[in-house]
Amino acid sequence: MATVAPPPSKRQKREEIERTTVQQDVTPLLATDLGSFKANFIDGDGNQMADVIEINFADASEKNVSALLNTMMGRDREEFTPYRFRIHIPGKDVVVDQYPTDLLGLLKKHGVNNPFETTITLSAEPQAVFKVQAVSRMAHKISGHGQPILCCQFSPLSSSRLATGSGDNTARIWNVDTGTPEKTLSGHTGWVMSVNWRPDGQQIATCSMDKTVRIWDPATGKSISEFKGHAKWVLGLAWEPYHLWRDGTSRLVSCSKDGTARIWVVNTGRVEHVLSGHKSSITCVRWGGIGQIYTGSQDRTIRVWDSVKGTLVQSFTAHGHWINYIALSSDFALRTGYLDHSKEIPETEEAKRAKAKERFEKAVRINGKVAERFVSASDDFTMYLWDPTNNGNKPVARLLGHQNKVNQCTFSPDGTMIASAGWDNHTKLWNARDGKFLTTLRGHVGPVFQCAWSADSRLLVTGSRDCTLKVWNVLKGALARDLPGHEDEVYAVDWAPRDGAKVASGGKDKAVRTWMN
Amino acid sequence: MPQNEYIERHRKLHGKRLDHEERTRKKAAREGHKQSENAQNLRGLRAKLYAKQRHSQKIQMRKAIKQHEERNVKGAPAENEPSNPIPSYLLDRANPTSAKALSSQIKSKRAEKAARFSVPIPKVKGISEEELFKVVKTGKKINKKGWKRVVTKPTFVGPDFTRRPVKYERFIRPMGLRYKKANVTHPTLNVTVQLPILGVKKNPSNPLYTQLGVLSKGTIIEVNVSDLGMVTASGKIAWGRYAQITNNPENDGCLNAVLLV
């Protein structure tokens, strides 16, 4: 334990009394001599990043510490990555997520009276180098659809193109810069339930209540092919990740109310595999970066299939009610393929594949091992975090806390956090590594339907039935902007993934709204 | 129209006619012939009235036939798409408009608690007691007293109403001015339905009139809405709702009201 200072002698006590009677302001005397502490930096996996170093309390602001760490890692000024720190209180098991302005005060509050003697561990999380501004105003309100808008997605190539699907049986492409409609993709005879851009942005796939899936060329607006085969409504789609393409063609998996998922070969239009086994409607399907397809269904199970052979690999039964949504930790990387926030596009096909693969692996690497995790949100008010490669059939963590059905969950683009939107009007944030609860974002007055992350993982936008969107600052856990403007329920939101200064939302009032800073 | 149960009383005391069953059977058998004779031979106003009555009868018949047909068909019911486009996560779920029903129910509860109805007719010209009551003198010759009153406006008395002993009755509500049903209009759906009255909640002129059950313009009455099939958000069937009378029933002979939602 720390050595205790000897009690003050008679002379010292007398001097103290004199000082208090004469000198009113004693505190500045202490302020200059705050002392220093020893800091030990660890990264997300728990490995030490740099040597233990002594830092003055007076200089210990988060920015300064981040700059110090960068210098210790030997980086140049231009290569600095901003870090966020979480403080592990020595001697206790408490981890403080928010870096406080008064570090000494925080340590004293937790009972650490002599920080000079102990080493304080700071775990550093690298933040994205670019910073996305919070959107604050409605840029455009574009009407054109005749029925409520059911889904929307920005093109991975550029944020100036947006595709939306609606109940008027069409999907439309909008030019977001000018706020005008560009192309109308008509051909479906039922509501368009989901619209998905291919990871390289060259094609759009839509699935509809008329049991078909269609592929469109966004440049011309014409339908390239139509896939028929499902027996009931097609509810969801997923493209094959860019780095997994074989034979020069892309593949697509679609899930339907008839309980089957079908893998289509896009160029030929034929079904490659039919993944049947679920006993009830499949609500969500995802194609993972290691070649596995995840399907979640109303029969309370999640099945993992091998995409090459079309066979069942694993089945997870833990939920008590319907699975509403599955989110992969590599979702963001797979959605955009080889397109990242920098403006460079690789030249050759091989280079594109390699870059897409590298981005994917960077997103899912934990402790140096490629482990793709996913979280499933269900009607039984809980979510489970699964890690099939490491943990097999058992979930990593159970995310409890919602008081009503959980509608959607998403991983943040940097893979550190999970956001979940539920019917209890709350959005909750969880740590993606171990599934621990971080904070609740309260503010909506109606069920929150969808949430979308900004590309730098600092902001989250949520859309709800109460006709508003809210932008949250996840670092502070507080509301950044309130975006009213919709006249009716908001069904779909998306944040532009590449140059992310735009948010698009669509809902029951049939007009697409785009929001900018 | 029988005003009391003397027909039933006679039947209970003396039984039915000996050939009652045969007569009713034969009358029912003649029904078809009678109907066609009427349809072909009635003229003028009677024809129009008959045609109208027959039309409503036929509508009911067709509905019954359709229901029977549906009962006979066996098989999986056709999966129908919900009428309004909704995204995939809202399919197979309970109707989201129940949220609006809940909010309107909460709002109406709050309005009641505050004892302020936001009613369609907020102000009403009151009815004076002179206008409402007519003095009825009782007693013989010299000892005529005028403490009885007759209500001259339409009233509602309730299903199990029995008059006080006539000697002690102070307010007389004539049977001819009693109403049991009201033509209630739903303000947003724009349908008018005849609904039985459950009670008089408040007459804006005078609390005495509320107690007597006087129905005048602006009176809040409670009606039985089980016919409308309204369900509260908690799943209970709504069967009593307030309505406000919108016409002067003493002048029109009928009672029109608008439902307060």
Side-chain angles (χ1 to χ4, degrees):
Chain A
M1 284 290 149
T3 28
V4 182
S9 67
K10 236 183 190 168
R11 184 167 59 85
Q12 281 176 334
K13 276 194 218 164
R14 213 179 338 115
E15 278 181 356
E16 185 66 45
I17 291 169
E18 267 180 3
R19 219 184 294 143
T20 52
T21 49
V22 172
Q23 222 177 331
Q24 287 292 307
D25 214 354
V26 193
T27 35
L29 207 62
L30 301 168
T32 50
D33 183 20
L34 281 174
S36 54
F37 66 102
K38 288 199 205 62
N40 178 25
F41 296 103
I42 59 169
D43 64 8
D45 296 328
N47 308 323
Q48 193 169 2
M49 293 170 85
D51 301 325
V52 178
I53 192 168
E54 202 171 309
I55 308 175
N56 277 333
F57 274 115
D59 302 329
S61 71
E62 196 167 12
K63 270 204 179 129
N64 288 352
V65 178
S66 166
L68 177 66
L69 181 59
N70 276 304
T71 353
M72 282 165 57
M73 306 272 278
R75 293 203 193 114
D76 289 334
R77 188 95 215 166
E78 298 86 53
E79 292 172 23
F80 269 19
T81 43
Y83 281 99
R84 236 191 93 207
F85 296 102
R86 297 160 79 210
I87 304 161
H88 297 251
I89 307 288
K92 286 191 192 173
D93 230 356
V94 180
V95 178
V96 180
D97 289 317
Q98 295 271 110
Y99 196 96
T101 37
D102 180 17
L103 187 55
L104 182 61
L106 174 78
L107 292 172
K108 286 221 156 76
K109 193 170 77 141
H110 281 276
V112 179
N113 288 318
N114 275 341
F116 336 108
E117 307 263 338
T118 51
T119 311
I120 298 169
T121 313
L122 299 168
S123 58
E125 285 164 22
Q127 301 264 277
V129 179
F130 60 100
K131 193 170 155 77
V132 174
Q133 298 273 21
V135 294
S136 53
R137 61 178 181 93
M138 178 155 64
H140 299 290
K141 174 188 154 202
I142 325 168
S143 42
H145 275 299
Q147 290 284 353
I149 295 172
L150 306 178
C151 51
C152 70
Q153 207 185 41
F154 272 102
S155 157
L157 259 182
S158 80
S159 70
S160 54
R161 294 286 179 282
L162 170 72
T164 56
S166 147
D168 64 356
N169 307 354
T170 63
R172 281 167 208 245
I173 304 180
W174 313 87
N175 184 331
V176 176
D177 295 329
T178 60
T180 52
E182 216 177 64
K183 295 276 185 294
T184 303
L185 315 172
S186 43
H188 275 298
T189 55
W191 311 337
V192 178
M193 301 308 287
S194 172
V195 65
N196 283 62
W197 291 81
R198 208 168 73 174
D200 60 353
Q202 304 299 335
Q203 280 182 352
I204 297 180
T206 57
C207 69
S208 156
M209 297 280 262
D210 63 359
K211 314 173 203 158
T212 64
V213 174
R214 274 180 192 249
I215 311 283
W216 312 83
D217 179 12
T220 59
K222 299 258 184 309
S223 169
I224 299 177
S225 35
E226 183 187 3
F227 301 154
K228 288 195 225 205
H230 276 294
K232 287 195 197 162
W233 320 328
V234 187
L235 295 176
L237 285 179
W239 283 95
E240 185 177 22
Y242 196 83
H243 62 270
L244 290 177
W245 288 15
R246 288 167 283 136
D247 321 324
T249 172
S250 53
R251 284 173 175 73
L252 185 63
V253 64
S254 61
C255 69
S256 155
K257 195 170 190 297
D258 60 7
T260 64
R262 280 165 195 253
I263 304 180
W264 310 86
V265 177
V266 172
N267 286 4
T268 60
R270 54 175 193 86
V271 184
E272 196 171 32
H273 295 291
V274 175
L275 314 172
S276 53
H278 276 295
K279 295 189 195 71
S280 180
S281 157
I282 302 182
T283 50
C284 187
V285 68
R286 281 269 179 276
W287 201 315
I290 40 179
Q292 296 194 320
I293 296 178
Y294 306 88
T295 55
S297 153
Q298 279 180 4
D299 66 355
R300 314 189 306 272
T301 62
I302 305 163
R303 283 172 195 240
V304 184
W305 314 80
D306 182 316
S307 57
V308 178
K309 292 186 231 134
T311 56
L312 177 67
V313 173
Q314 245 181 339
S315 174
F316 300 108
T317 54
H319 277 293
H321 210 323
W322 303 350
I323 315 282
N324 282 337
Y325 203 78
I326 297 180
L328 304 179
S329 55
S330 51
D331 255 345
F332 186 78
L334 295 178
R335 176 182 164 186
T336 45
Y338 53 82
L339 305 157
D340 61 4
H341 69 274
S342 68
K343 299 293 178 217
E344 337 154 331
I345 300 182
E347 303 294 322
T348 67
E349 183 69 31
E350 302 310 317
K352 286 182 185 172
R353 294 272 206 91
K355 184 160 181 204
K357 189 166 173 135
E358 177 203 323
R359 282 192 79 216
F360 161 69
E361 283 179 356
K362 185 158 159 257
V364 294
R365 191 159 280 138
I366 299 178
N367 283 343
K369 201 172 137 194
V370 169
E372 189 175 43
R373 303 162 128 214
F374 68 97
V375 66
S376 56
S378 160
D379 259 14
D380 65 355
F381 307 1
T382 66
M383 295 181 286
Y384 279 104
L385 177 62
W386 308 89
D387 191 342
T389 39
N390 291 343
N391 234 7
N393 240 355
K394 292 175 56 176
V396 172
R398 191 171 188 203
L399 282 57
L400 295 168
H402 274 287
Q403 278 146 350
N404 210 328
K405 312 187 257 259
V406 188
N407 206 39
Q408 201 199 29
C409 50
T410 17
F411 271 86
S412 68
D414 62 357
T416 50
M417 283 191 275
I418 302 171
S420 62
W423 287 65
D424 56 354
N425 313 356
H426 295 160
T427 316
K428 288 186 192 275
L429 293 174
W430 316 79
N431 181 337
R433 284 297 164 87
D434 45 13
K436 290 242 169 39
F437 171 71
L438 289 176
T439 175
T440 305
L441 306 173
R442 281 176 245 257
H444 280 294
V445 295
V448 188
F449 284 151
Q450 296 223 315
C451 54
W453 286 90
S454 70
D456 66 346
S457 314
R458 290 194 187 101
L459 298 165
L460 179 71
V461 67
T462 52
S464 130
R465 192 199 270 173
D466 66 358
C467 318
T468 62
L469 285 107
K470 291 192 185 339
V471 182
W472 310 87
N473 183 332
V474 296
L475 303 179
K476 293 188 204 149
L479 181 66
R481 293 274 192 285
D482 193 9
L483 305 173
H486 267 283
E487 284 147 24
D488 214 334
E489 309 174 11
V490 180
Y491 285 149
V493 283
D494 194 27
W495 204 311
R498 207 167 164 217
D499 35 354
K502 297 187 189 115
V503 171
S505 58
K508 209 165 169 195
D509 59 354
K510 310 171 196 163
V512 177
R513 278 159 221 264
T514 52
W515 314 80
M516 291 209 278
N517 191 7
Chain B
M1 302 239 76
Q3 288 201 336
N4 217 327
E5 298 97 21
Y6 61 89
I7 295 180
E8 284 87 27
R9 189 166 168 275
H10 182 276
R11 271 209 190 140
K12 283 178 201 165
L13 286 178
H14 306 290
K16 292 189 182 159
R17 277 183 130 173
L18 296 167
D19 52 0
H20 180 260
E21 276 79 36
E22 190 175 335
R23 282 166 58 100
T24 46
R25 181 184 58 79
K26 290 188 79 154
K27 187 169 183 187
R30 282 195 303 269
E31 210 57 56
H33 297 285
K34 193 90 170 84
Q35 274 171 359
S36 69
E37 189 199 323
N38 279 344
Q40 290 173 30
N41 296 334
L42 283 178
R43 299 277 175 259
L45 176 67
R46 280 193 206 141
K48 282 189 189 166
L49 292 173
Y50 183 76
K52 187 171 175 207
Q53 188 191 51
R54 191 75 186 130
H55 183 56
S56 55
Q57 271 178 10
K58 281 194 176 171
I59 292 172
Q60 296 303 320
M61 277 198 301
R62 276 189 217 125
K63 275 192 196 164
I65 290 171
K66 224 183 188 170
Q67 281 175 357
H68 283 301
E69 273 176 1
E70 271 174 28
R71 188 195 62 187
N72 289 336
V73 167
K74 286 201 172 110
E79 251 165 17
N80 39 359
E81 290 179 359
S83 45
N84 301 320
I86 41 175
S88 58
Y89 48 82
L90 290 178
L91 289 172
D92 296 333
R93 289 199 193 278
N95 205 336
T97 58
S98 60
K100 293 197 174 96
L102 179 66
S103 74
S104 63
Q105 188 196 39
I106 290 174
K107 281 176 190 165
S108 68
K109 265 201 191 146
R110 281 204 203 118
E112 277 177 43
K113 280 186 189 157
R116 260 181 295 123
F117 291 102
S118 62
V119 288
I121 305 172
K123 269 191 182 199
V124 150
K125 195 171 66 170
I127 308 175
S128 62
E129 292 207 353
E130 287 168 7
E131 191 188 337
L132 187 78
F133 297 126
K134 196 179 98 165
V135 180
V136 161
K137 292 209 162 61
T138 58
K140 293 189 184 177
K141 295 183 195 174
I142 320 170
N143 309 332
K144 272 206 180 327
K145 308 236 179 53
W147 47 266
K148 280 196 176 196
R149 299 281 182 275
V150 165
V151 176
T152 59
K153 305 267 184 218
T155 56
F156 172 74
V157 290
D160 48 359
F161 171 74
T162 35
R163 297 168 66 181
R164 295 266 84 75
V166 181
K167 189 173 177 191
Y168 301 111
E169 195 178 29
R170 209 183 302 180
F171 293 104
I172 300 173
R173 283 167 279 188
M175 214 148 52
L177 289 176
R178 290 186 202 156
Y179 282 86
K180 285 190 204 158
K181 290 199 168 204
N183 303 322
V184 181
T185 310
H186 194 290
T188 44
L189 297 177
N190 273 331
V191 288
T192 308
V193 188
Q194 236 188 14
L195 299 175
I197 304 174
L198 293 171
V200 173
K201 175 77 181 175
K202 188 161 175 64
N203 191 312
S205 315
N206 196 329
L208 171 66
Y209 302 172
T210 313
Q211 276 187 332
L212 288 179
V214 173
L215 303 168
S216 58
K217 184 170 181 179
T219 307
I220 312 284
I221 56 173
E222 195 172 358
V223 289
N224 183 345
V225 295
S226 49
D227 286 343
L228 291 182
M230 288 161 48
V231 181
T232 63
S234 53
K236 299 203 185 93
I237 303 172
W239 72 283
R241 284 275 176 272
Y242 291 124
Q244 190 179 31
I245 297 176
T246 53
N247 70 330
N248 289 315
E250 65 267 15
N251 297 337
D252 299 331
C254 65
L255 195 59
N256 297 341
V258 68
L259 198 63
L260 302 177
V261 282

